[in-house]
């Protein structure tokens, strides 16, 4: 069943390439090829991190220029003459045509959370090469494709959510499974994101003060734009950035003053503060805290990553981590257990493919996009930007001493709590670092200890300080470390408060089927109740992670990765179904191949996490060992007492059951989607599409960041044609 618009525009259709264009793209291809060749063929030689940056940026440029354009104009047939929901349903609240540059910043801020920072850092345990390959290849052929195609189909359907599209296009059974899975996965993601913040800020008065100050700064920016100086975006941007930098500098003063104890918080205390913050942020008006924080964090995100790339090119740091470590084949890594396949793909998660993005691409963004032709820049382009964050995180983790890397990322139950013990254990893995070096590394960044600072954020901060201090001098090493901590926490808090709000909307929608007032998102009792439930649920996973004897992030991040990739399987299944039902069967491989790969990897990982006989991998095997210990009255290391033993048993049971249930729900979604596709191929007349009818657009706006000559002329003509009063 084909529902193309009466006029399908292809303003950027096939054109003869100019000699200048051929030369430029040939040079880009050569740079990318050189980077890949050095990374792949080097054996024992020193390799500069600049080659990793070259391989990534060259590959991204080629993919965006050619592959994303092919999908947008040949497969999806984006139509600049077709009005988007933002134009047709404009109400100034949820639906509002938004300038493409502003929307690009909003979309990037919403999708870029902790995943691209943390996953690659943890995956460095396997070596820098496997992670680099998956981050770059995965985003080009899977992650960015998913984001763009979901955004396109949601835009064609009045901005419907992923769950709604699954229910309408696949059916009530598969749709219900998709809705349940999406909400459960959102809770897990939020819990792990919050755990990264706790691990970064625990016992760090400098970092805690700086991050605490971002809340009043964001509130000030919100009131400034809303009440004091409406529309003065440039002014509030300068004020916000200046106050952020002042908060960072002031954090050092606080850490050296009598106030240090006030801001030196234990992990349990940070849990309470974060849950309280998440609750308040999710019920405040969006203009007051969420929007200014998004805007502020976008500056920090993009600016820091650009500076980091420049720092790599200027300082040319050497990759000290092996290209492929022994842990990749043995599967006994201290950071996370499991072999390279499937766990390197699961661990990297958001940097290459993220199901969370599908909730944004079918959430706020399709209600704000001006033109269908902009889905390429906003959907595909934003994901390439996030992937570049993942590459820089992997660079940062790979340029520091491997001994320090493992001492920071192994749980305390494995390496102990003294530099002497940690040095000995890490040395047993083949990575030498002395107790004095471990103590000096902490002193250099003005921290009391760097041992077992799991979660990836402190490791990334060490790498950032290493790169930047090579350019600015060793005297600023501590400043750059805490700057990176604040940068990461801003990244994550943006996803935490936005994700909590999205989770509240999802729960209100579901409860509204039972009690209609919940459907009104402004109904205060419902708003408070659902916010409390969502914060309580992810707060549980956060509390579990903080008190997990086996290392919270080490236990929970595989579930985080599996959940995120399972949600991506739902999104790709919906996209493939829509391609088939809309008459694009010959192009179904665009999302079908990533779907098969993602489902294979993720379901394999789920099976191993549930049923593996290796207690370091399998949750139920892990549970049985510690339960047997309890029955015998024995304490099994790294547990230190019977309370730890009972905690491990409970957590392993919850993790195993949750992983199995989520995997089963996704199998239901994929099976139902396959049934619908086969039925359509056999009997197309039985299929229906919920696509909104074609309405001609009156908006004239460029498709990309930089308007073409033709687009500039169209804009000029449109402005000239406006009636003058």
């Amino acid at each position: 069943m084909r529902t193309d618009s009466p006029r399908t525009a292809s303003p950027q259709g096939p054109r003869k390439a100019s000699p200048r264009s051929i030369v430029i793209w040939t040079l880009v291809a050569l740079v990318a090829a050189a980077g890949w060749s050095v990374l792949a063929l080097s054996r024992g030689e020193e390799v500069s991190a600049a080659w990793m940056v070259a391989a990534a940026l060259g590959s991204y440029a080629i993919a965006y220029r050619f592959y994303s354009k092919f999908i947008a104009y040949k497969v999806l047939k984006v139509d600049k003459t077709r009005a988007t929901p933002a134009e047709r349903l404009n109400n100034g609240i949820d639906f509002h045509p938004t300038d493409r540059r502003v929307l690009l910043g909003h979309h990037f801020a919403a999708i870029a959370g902790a995943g691209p920072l943390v996953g690659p850092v943890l995956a460095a345990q396997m070596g820098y090469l496997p992670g680099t390959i998956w981050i770059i290849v995965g985003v080009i052929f899977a992650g960015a494709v998913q984001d763009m195609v979901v955004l396109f189909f949601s835009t064609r359907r009045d901005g419907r959510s992923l769950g709604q599209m699954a229910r309408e296009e696949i059916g009530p059974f598969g749709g219900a499974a998709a809705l349940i899975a999406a909400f459960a996965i959102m809770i897990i993601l939020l819990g792990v994101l919050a755990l990264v913040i706790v691990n970064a800020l625990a016992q760090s008065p400098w970092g805690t003060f700086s991050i605490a100050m971002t809340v009043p700064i964001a509130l000030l920016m919100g009131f400034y734009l809303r009440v004091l100086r409406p529309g003065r975006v440039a002014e509030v941007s300068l004020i916000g950035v200046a106050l952020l930098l002042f908060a960072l500098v002031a954090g050092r003063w606080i850490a050296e003053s009598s106030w240090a104890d006030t801001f030196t918080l234990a992990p349990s205390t940070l849990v309470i503060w974060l849950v309280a913050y998440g609750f308040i942020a999710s019920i405040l008006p969006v203009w007051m805290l969420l929007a200014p924080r998004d805007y502020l964090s976008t500056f920090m995100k993009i600016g820091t990553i650009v500076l980091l790339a420049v720092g790599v090119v200027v300082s040319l740091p050497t990759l000290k981590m092996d290209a492929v470590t022994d842990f990749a084949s043995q599967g006994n890594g201290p950071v996370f257990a499991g072999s390279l396949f499937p766990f390197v793909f699961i661990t990297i998660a958001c940097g290459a493919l993220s199901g969370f993005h599908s909730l944004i691409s079918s959430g706020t963004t399709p209600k704000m996009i001006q033109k269908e032709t902009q889905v390429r820049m906003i959907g595909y382009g934003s994901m390439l930007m996030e992937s570049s964050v993942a590459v820089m995180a992997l660079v940062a983790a790979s340029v520091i001493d491997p001994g320090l890397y493992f001492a920071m990322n192994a749980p305390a139950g494995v390496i102990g709590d003294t530099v002497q013990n940690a040095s000995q254990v890490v040395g047993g893995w083949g990575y030498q670092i002395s107790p004095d070096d471990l103590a000096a590394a902490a002193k250099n960044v003005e921290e009391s200890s760097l041992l077992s600072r799991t979660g990836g954020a402190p490791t990334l901060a060490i790498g950032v300080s290493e790169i930047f201090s090579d350019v600015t001098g060793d005297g600023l090493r501590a400043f750059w470390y805490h700057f990176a901590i604040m940068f990461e926490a801003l990244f994550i808090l943006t996803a935490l408060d936005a994700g909590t709000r999205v989770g509240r909307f999802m729960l209100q929608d579901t409860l509204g089927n039972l009690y209609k007032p919940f459907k009104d998102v402004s109904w205060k009792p419902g708003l408070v109740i659902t916010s409390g439930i969502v914060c309580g649920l992810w707060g549980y996973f956060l509390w579990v992670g903080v008190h997990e004897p086996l290392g919270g992030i080490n236990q929970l991040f595989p579930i985080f990765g599996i959940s995120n990739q399972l949600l991506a399987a739902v999104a790709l299944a919906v996209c493939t179904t829509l391609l088939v039902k809309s008459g694009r069967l010959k192009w179904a491989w665009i999302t079908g191949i990533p779907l098969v790969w993602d489902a294979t990897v993720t379901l394999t990982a789920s099976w191993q996490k549930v049923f593996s006989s290796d207690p370091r991998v399998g949750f139920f095997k892990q549970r049985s060992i510690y339960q047997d210990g309890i029955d015998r009255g024995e304490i099994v290391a790294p547990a230190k007492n019977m309370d730890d033993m009972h905690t491990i048993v409970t957590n392993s049971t919850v993790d195993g059951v949750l992983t199995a249930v989520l995997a089963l729900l996704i199998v239901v979604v994929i099976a139902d989607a396959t049934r619908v596709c086969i039925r359509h191929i056999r009997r197309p007349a039985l299929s229906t599409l919920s696509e909104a009818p074609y309405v001609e657009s009156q908006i004239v706006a460029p498709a990309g960041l930089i308007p073409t000559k033709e687009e500039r002329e169209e804009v000029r003509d449109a402005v000239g044609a406006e009636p003058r009063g």
Side-chain angles (χ1 to χ4, degrees):
M1 180 177 178
R2 191 61 180 256
T3 58
D4 283 345
S5 58
R7 293 182 289 164
T8 299
S10 184
Q12 299 182 28
R15 290 183 293 182
K16 188 175 181 180
S18 66
R20 178 171 171 269
S21 177
I22 293 173
V23 170
I24 290 173
W25 287 106
T26 300
L27 290 174
V28 171
L30 288 173
V31 168
W36 281 116
S37 298
V38 172
L39 292 176
L41 301 178
S42 295
R43 294 292 183 273
E45 307 95 334
E46 287 191 349
V47 178
S48 171
W51 289 115
M52 192 184 295
V53 175
L57 296 183
S59 300
Y60 294 154
I62 293 170
Y64 184 78
R65 169 63 179 79
F66 297 101
Y67 192 52
S68 71
K69 186 175 181 179
F70 160 73
I71 295 174
Y73 292 100
K74 184 71 174 178
V75 178
L76 301 179
K77 296 186 182 296
V78 294
D79 186 354
K80 73 173 184 178
T81 72
R82 188 184 186 111
T84 64
E87 181 179 357
R88 289 187 292 102
L89 306 175
N90 184 6
N91 60 11
I93 302 173
D94 296 317
F95 294 88
H96 180 66
T98 304
D99 184 281
R100 69 199 185 284
R101 293 160 295 193
V102 175
L103 187 56
L104 178 68
H106 163 82
H107 186 80
F108 175 69
I111 66 172
L117 296 172
V118 178
V121 171
L122 301 181
Q125 169 184 267
M126 303 290 193
Y128 65 78
L129 188 57
T132 302
I133 293 173
W134 174 236
I135 289 170
I136 298 172
V137 175
V139 74
I140 289 171
F141 294 107
V145 173
Q146 172 209 259
D147 291 12
M148 176 170 66
V149 177
V150 169
L151 177 57
F152 170 79
F153 280 124
S154 180
T155 301
R156 282 277 174 105
R157 285 158 178 76
D158 291 341
R160 286 186 178 88
S161 68
L162 180 68
Q164 289 173 312
M165 289 194 291
R167 188 168 61 242
E168 292 172 356
E169 304 293 352
I170 296 177
F173 189 57
L179 282 171
I180 295 170
F183 181 73
I185 288 168
M186 173 68 81
I187 296 300
I188 295 169
L189 300 185
L190 292 174
V192 177
L193 292 178
L195 181 58
V196 175
I197 299 177
V198 170
N199 287 341
L201 299 183
Q203 309 299 333
S204 175
W206 186 341
T208 301
F209 173 81
S210 298
I211 291 304
M213 289 304 297
T214 64
V215 176
I217 291 171
L219 289 170
L220 172 64
M221 292 175 66
F223 279 100
Y224 194 95
L225 279 176
R226 180 84 173 189
V227 180
L228 300 178
R229 302 272 285 175
R232 303 287 183 170
V233 177
E235 286 181 18
V236 81
S237 301
L238 290 173
I239 292 171
V241 171
L243 288 174
L244 262 184
L245 293 176
F246 176 77
L248 182 61
V249 174
R252 186 174 195 169
W253 303 336
I254 292 293
E256 296 171 350
S257 73
S258 59
W259 285 81
D261 289 344
T262 304
F263 290 93
T264 304
L265 303 181
S268 299
T269 307
L270 282 168
V271 170
I272 296 170
W273 278 109
L274 276 179
V275 171
Y277 166 79
F279 176 77
I280 294 170
S282 68
I283 62 176
L284 286 178
V286 70
W287 61 265
M288 192 179 292
L289 181 60
L290 188 63
R293 180 182 287 286
D294 269 358
Y295 188 68
L296 191 61
S297 65
T298 298
F299 277 106
M300 292 291 292
K301 291 172 183 178
I302 296 175
T304 301
I305 293 304
V306 170
L307 284 175
L308 195 54
V310 171
V312 169
V313 173
V314 171
S315 63
L316 298 176
T318 300
L319 296 171
K320 296 177 182 176
M321 185 65 75
D322 297 331
V324 182
T325 68
D326 292 339
F327 297 127
S329 56
Q330 295 172 358
N332 60 347
V335 179
F336 62 91
S339 57
L340 190 150
F341 179 88
F343 288 105
V344 75
F345 307 99
I346 295 302
T347 304
I348 285 174
C350 305
L353 173 64
S354 174
F356 176 74
H357 296 184
S358 65
L359 302 180
I360 307 300
S361 290
S362 62
T364 56
T365 306
K367 299 178 180 67
M368 301 165 70
I369 195 166
Q370 290 175 314
K371 309 292 289 184
E372 275 191 5
T373 48
Q374 294 171 357
V375 300
R376 177 188 175 209
M377 175 189 73
I378 294 169
Y380 201 96
S382 291
M383 184 56 195
L384 291 183
M385 291 164 61
E386 173 155 352
S387 185
S388 69
V389 175
V391 169
M392 298 315 302
L394 186 57
V395 167
S398 301
V399 299
I400 67 175
D401 187 289
L404 177 59
Y405 168 86
F406 285 106
M408 292 183 68
N409 288 283
V414 175
I415 63 171
D417 54 6
T418 66
V419 290
Q420 290 78 14
N421 198 60
S423 172
Q424 184 178 357
V425 173
V426 171
W429 298 331
Y431 299 96
Q432 302 301 322
I433 186 166
S434 69
D436 289 343
D437 288 339
L438 287 172
K443 184 178 179 181
N444 287 339
V445 295
E446 299 184 21
E447 290 285 348
S448 59
S449 173
L450 291 176
L451 299 183
S452 299
R453 297 296 298 273
T454 56
T459 305
L460 176 58
I462 286 289
V464 169
S465 68
E466 182 87 17
I467 293 168
F468 282 169
S469 63
D470 283 347
V471 178
T472 62
D474 247 13
L476 290 176
R477 186 180 291 269
F479 173 85
W480 289 124
Y481 173 85
H482 288 91
F483 172 83
I485 289 290
M486 186 176 75
F487 158 71
E488 294 171 283
L490 269 177
F491 244 99
I492 300 163
L493 280 175
T494 300
L496 191 66
D497 48 27
T500 301
R501 188 177 290 263
V502 171
R504 170 168 69 82
F505 290 154
M506 294 167 69
L507 186 57
Q508 283 179 289
D509 237 3
T510 303
L511 294 179
N513 296 321
L514 304 174
Y515 187 59
K516 284 188 178 180
F518 277 104
K519 286 283 188 183
D520 180 5
V521 295
S522 300
W523 185 53
K524 290 185 179 179
L527 182 150
V528 172
I529 291 169
T530 51
S531 293
I533 292 172
V534 170
C535 290
L537 288 172
W538 66 253
Y540 165 77
F541 281 98
L542 176 58
W543 186 267
V544 165
V546 164
H547 296 89
E548 170 59 63
L550 299 179
I553 198 71
N554 309 69
Q555 283 287 85
L556 288 179
F557 205 84
I559 301 180
F560 172 94
I562 288 171
S563 301
N564 198 19
Q565 302 301 283
L566 288 174
L567 187 55
V570 173
L572 290 167
V574 171
C575 290
T576 305
T577 303
L578 285 169
L579 286 173
V580 172
K581 290 177 67 176
S582 62
R584 299 174 174 91
L585 176 61
K586 68 177 180 179
W587 303 121
W589 60 268
I590 296 288
T591 55
I593 292 176
L595 170 60
V596 171
W597 169 257
D598 181 50
T600 301
V601 169
T602 313
L603 293 176
T604 300
S606 300
W607 180 270
Q608 291 187 18
K609 293 303 292 183
V610 174
F611 297 112
S612 174
S613 59
D614 184 345
R616 294 167 301 185
V617 177
F619 288 127
F620 289 150
K621 182 63 177 179
Q622 186 180 90
R623 179 198 181 283
S624 68
I625 287 177
Y626 285 90
Q627 184 61 55
D628 290 345
I630 292 172
D631 295 340
R632 295 191 306 268
E634 297 177 3
I635 295 175
V636 180
K640 297 178 180 177
N641 51 52
M642 275 297 167
D643 285 342
D644 283 356
M645 297 285 288
H646 285 287
T647 298
I648 293 172
V649 168
T650 301
N651 294 349
S652 298
T653 304
V654 172
D655 293 346
V657 170
L658 197 56
T659 303
V661 170
L662 289 175
L664 183 61
L665 287 171
I666 270 53
V667 169
V668 169
V669 174
I670 294 174
D672 214 15
T674 304
R675 176 189 62 80
V676 171
C677 290
I678 293 173
R679 187 189 66 180
H680 174 83
I681 294 169
R682 290 176 174 174
R683 303 181 67 184
L686 296 179
S687 297
T688 58
L689 282 173
S690 57
E691 188 173 288
Y694 173 88
V695 174
E696 186 170 0
S697 175
Q698 303 302 313
I699 293 177
V700 177
L705 203 59
I706 302 173
T708 63
K709 180 181 178 182
E710 293 83 358
E711 287 173 337
R712 285 195 297 269
E713 291 174 356
E714 286 180 354
V715 171
R716 269 199 305 270
D717 291 344
V719 172
E722 289 179 357
R724 302 179 184 277

